[in-house]
Amino acid sequence: MKHLLYTLALTVIFIISSCTDKDQTPVEKFGQLKIEGTNITDQKSKAVQITGMSLFWSQWIGQYYNYDCIKWLRDDWKCMVVRAAIAVDHGGYAENPEREMSRAKKVIDAAIDLGVYVIVDFHSHHAEDYQDEAKTFFSELASEYGDYPNIIYEIYNEPLNVSWNDVLKPYSETIIAEIRKHDPNNIIVCGTPRWSQQVDEAALNPIDDDNVAYTLHFYAGTHDEELMQVANNAIKKGLCIFVTEYGTTNANGGGPVFKEETKKWYNWMDKHQISHCNWSIADKNESSAALVEGASANGSWKEDEIKTSGKFVREELRKKHSAIFK
Ligand code: IDC
């Protein structure tokens, strides 16, 4: 009996001591995220930078919205976060609510099981025209998943040239109120004017909620220091920025892969501890798509299934992960 207890104690000690950070999932390590000042912070109030990949428009390239793919993105690409870009118009959720909601839930369920964060993005350029749909969509998600620390709500991908004060702030407040009925504290990310670039406008009139961040999107071939300066001004005013989508290419999703320019953005995001997701996990014939046409839907991608941008971004994600989980 004594011997048995001794062995048991040793086993417990062994298990505890072998559980280093390296074996932890992102959600085990960081837990409940919140916003403090301009930073996203973890359960110990330490600033964190969570990094990962965005999936493509769900209605067009939905095959990567599955468990095995998310698991591969966690284990091999070392994503701490994945973004489900749930299409609204162009045959998305507005027309096919059940199909698109089920895609969103597949990714959320996988993320919860796998211990990664998941951004659920209402992927539209006209979400103010789909406010009722957005209310229904986020209310359902918040009531079902609001208790999990995994979920991050992105309520509007990219508004066009519309006013923050008159259109986007009221839209955001309406959707936030709906989410907060069920989920008091997970992070909500708001789209900003002109393709989620004018974060400085939101900084002049921010939303009254403790856990709201604001979207900045950039494409390294199109956007440079000028946009960084806009974002710097917003940060100076106290705004928390989340780069929920960026590309290494031109803003149309094509053109060359701008490695040097992307590195400048990486440095800038590191300096400000800004979290980010790359566009996109897709096998489309465009340079921003990470995969070659016909790449397996279930992950396990070999070298020759990954395109230039995908390889470059994967390296960065692995580097980021290994600096934190050691
Ligand atoms: C692009 C896709 C492209 C598709 C187009 C449709 O890469 O294949 O034809 O949408 O509108 C964004 C958007 C994102 C865009 C991406 C690249 O959020 O939907 O995807 N981009 O153009 N903002 C800036 C760039």
Side-chain angles (χ1 to χ4, degrees), residues 41-54:
T41 61
D42 69 5
Q43 57 199 352
K44 298 176 186 153
S45 280
K46 183 171 180 285
V48 288
Q49 184 186 27
I50 57 169
T51 51
M53 289 300 299
S54 175

Side-chain angles (χ1 to χ4, degrees), residues 54 56-57 59-61 83 85 90 121 123-125 154 157-158 195-197 217-219 223 245-247 249-254 279-280 282 284-286 288-289:
S54 175
F56 195 84
W57 294 78
Q59 91 288 31
W60 284 327
I61 302 189
R83 176 182 189 240
H90 301 300
D121 154 38
H123 203 80
S124 173
H125 295 290
E154 182 178 1
N157 170 43
E158 285 184 0
W195 297 276
S196 287
Q197 292 175 47
H217 287 174
F218 71 82
Y219 278 71
H223 308 114
E245 183 189 307
Y246 72 91
T249 62
N250 289 327
N252 65 2
W279 185 261
S280 66
K284 187 166 172 168
N285 185 15
E286 63 178 9
S288 59

Side-chain angles (χ1 to χ4, degrees), residues 63 137 186 217:
Q63 69 264 35
F137 180 75
N186 277 315
H217 287 174

Side-chain angles (χ1 to χ4, degrees), residues 165-213:
N165 291 344
D166 301 335
V167 180
L168 300 177
K169 191 179 182 199
Y171 166 87
S172 302
E173 286 172 334
T174 304
I175 309 306
I176 291 169
E178 218 41 58
I179 294 172
R180 291 293 181 234
K181 283 182 195 165
H182 311 285
D183 180 344
N185 53 3
N186 277 315
I187 292 174
I188 300 173
V189 196
C190 299
T192 54
R194 286 181 285 289
W195 297 276
S196 287
Q197 292 175 47
Q198 238 54 59
V199 278
D200 53 341
E201 283 180 31
L204 294 174
N205 185 10
I207 285 167
D208 183 19
D209 183 293
D210 288 342
N211 286 308
V212 163

Side-chain angles (χ1 to χ4, degrees), residues 71-108:
K71 185 167 189 308
W72 187 255
L73 287 173
R74 181 193 71 168
D75 294 342
D76 186 70
W77 288 53
K78 301 294 180 188
C79 289
M80 304 174 217
V81 57
V82 291
R83 176 182 189 240
I86 304 300
V88 179
D89 35 355
H90 301 300
Y93 175 78
E95 276 174 53
N96 298 291
E98 279 167 28
R99 188 188 69 196
E100 297 308 316
M101 181 55 99
S102 100
R103 287 192 172 130
K105 288 186 180 176
K106 252 187 168 180
V107 173
I108 299 168

Side-chain angles (χ1 to χ4, degrees), residues 6-27:
Y6 183 64
T7 315
L8 196 70
L10 273 185
T11 312
V12 170
I13 290 166
F14 175 73
I15 290 172
I16 291 171
S17 62
S18 64
C19 265
T20 61
D21 278 12
K22 222 174 167 183
D23 305 311
Q24 282 187 308
T25 67
V27 176

Side-chain angles (χ1 to χ4, degrees), residues 266-285:
Y266 282 150
N267 289 338
W268 179 79
M269 293 191 287
D270 292 350
K271 180 175 162 208
H272 296 288
Q273 288 281 284
I274 293 175
S275 296
H276 53 79
C277 284
N278 173 251
W279 185 261
S280 66
I281 289 295
D283 68 342
K284 187 166 172 168
N285 185 15

